[in-house]
Amino acid sequence: MRRFLTALCLSLFAAAPAISATCGNTSSGFGAWKSAFAAEAQRAGIGQRGLQALAAASYSQKTINADRNQKGVKYAFNDFVRIRLGSLDAFAASARKRIARNPAFFAAVESRYGVPGSILVSIHGMETGFGRTMGSVPVVSSILTVAYDCRRSDFFIPHALAALQMVDRGMLSPNQLGAFHGELGHTQFLPGNALRYGVDGSGDGRVDFYNEWDALASTANFLRQKGWRAGAGFEPGQPNFPVLNEWNAATVYQQAIAAAAARIDR
Ligand SMILES: [Ca+2]
């Protein structure tokens, strides 16, 4: 019994959270939060380059404004496609040209991960218009801002640590621009997923989400790891359709990707 109690005490001690940084809803507490978060980052193994990026980060009011203005509008499928992709035929025509630029790459990725090029270019087009709009706020500052902000700290803190880890490893420049919640690169990975699923698709030995081939190969790797099956269909009711839910939880988004990819393959 004593041994049991000792073990219990030790495990309680181990599970006790270290004093953690206190969230806030305005810029005024951000500096103090960063200092406390630096200690957490150090405990998580973040090295000098990551810690310097943390010290240099600033509160992103643009991120908070975007976060507070999220409307949560639910679009019907046709409206969603029209707003995000334009017409399916025009989108499919551009997407086919993207594949035709580098067919060997898409064939290699499909043979390795089982994910067809049509799905990857559909995600690429949907997320950033094939790399045209990858965001306008520094990734490190925006992900730290939403990690500090009280609304969804628990969700974003692991992504903030991952972003610092990426800076540390040379996968992310401290000043790199991304979307409002720290989504980065051609297909807008959150940093935690980027760190976990990132692969080198360009063959230069580095993983850089601002390189199209790295971002697309990493997207294929993500889908594969989430259960994508080579050769199985991806339209609603087919085995790969639910895997799209791992990428984006909005049903209309999943339906639009499947419809666009099917149109490309037609
Ligand atoms: Ca690369």
Side-chain angles (χ1 to χ4, degrees), residues 205-221:
R206 295 180 59 241
V207 180
D208 173 8
F209 283 82
Y210 290 81
N211 173 282
E212 177 178 352
W213 315 117
D214 286 4
L216 294 183
S218 300
T219 304
N221 183 41

Side-chain angles (χ1 to χ4, degrees), residues 4-257:
F4 172 75
L5 281 176
T6 306
L8 186 66
C9 288
L10 281 175
S11 71
L12 282 176
F13 179 74
I19 297 163
S20 60
T22 307
C23 71
N25 291 317
T26 64
S27 63
S28 64
F30 190 61
W33 180 87
K34 282 203 306 178
S35 306
F37 193 62
E40 285 185 39
Q42 254 176 323
R43 279 195 297 275
I46 311 287
Q48 275 314 307
R49 285 201 290 189
L51 294 174
Q52 279 163 12
L54 169 61
S58 50
Y59 184 81
S60 173
Q61 190 62 51
K62 273 168 130 180
T63 286
I64 293 301
N65 293 348
D67 189 67
R68 301 290 185 263
N69 286 334
Q70 282 181 333
K71 298 258 184 358
V73 177
K74 287 208 163 70
Y75 288 107
F77 174 78
N78 287 335
D79 292 333
F80 185 81
V81 166
R82 181 174 44 77
I83 293 165
R84 296 287 291 268
L85 302 179
S87 87
L88 275 184
D89 282 331
F91 179 81
S94 325
R96 282 191 208 103
K97 282 185 199 150
R98 308 288 305 182
I99 295 173
R101 284 162 63 229
N102 198 347
F105 168 83
F106 288 100
V109 166
E110 180 163 8
S111 107
R112 176 146 188 191
Y113 301 103
V115 181
S118 57
I119 285 286
L120 299 176
V121 291
S122 295
I123 290 174
H124 193 198
M126 174 82 81
E127 293 291 343
T128 62
F130 307 114
R132 281 193 300 272
T133 52
M134 295 196 277
S136 59
V137 284
V139 170
V140 170
S141 286
S142 47
I143 198 70
L144 287 170
T145 299
V146 284
Y148 158 70
D149 191 71
C150 292
R151 202 163 83 83
R152 285 187 287 168
S153 278
D154 289 348
F155 176 76
F156 284 114
I157 280 174
H159 290 293
L161 290 171
L164 300 179
Q165 192 76 260
M166 288 176 75
V167 171
D168 231 24
R169 295 187 191 175
M171 293 170 71
L172 181 66
S173 145
N175 304 313
Q176 179 66 60
L177 301 181
F180 289 119
H181 293 80
E183 303 94 331
L184 52 93
H186 280 267
T187 56
Q188 304 277 279
F189 268 82
L190 278 169
N193 292 334
L195 190 62
R196 183 161 179 190
Y197 298 103
V199 292
D200 174 25
S202 70
D204 65 353
R206 295 180 59 241
V207 180
D208 173 8
F209 283 82
Y210 290 81
N211 173 282
E212 177 178 352
W213 315 117
D214 286 4
L216 294 183
S218 300
T219 304
N221 183 41
F222 175 96
L223 293 171
R224 176 74 184 184
Q225 301 289 333
K226 297 291 187 183
W228 192 276
R229 285 162 46 193
F234 52 72
E235 295 195 72
Q238 297 182 322
N240 285 323
F241 185 72
V243 183
L244 295 172
N245 183 57
E246 302 289 330
W247 179 263
N248 187 303
T251 305
V252 70
Y253 179 108
Q254 299 154 21
Q255 292 167 334
I257 291 294

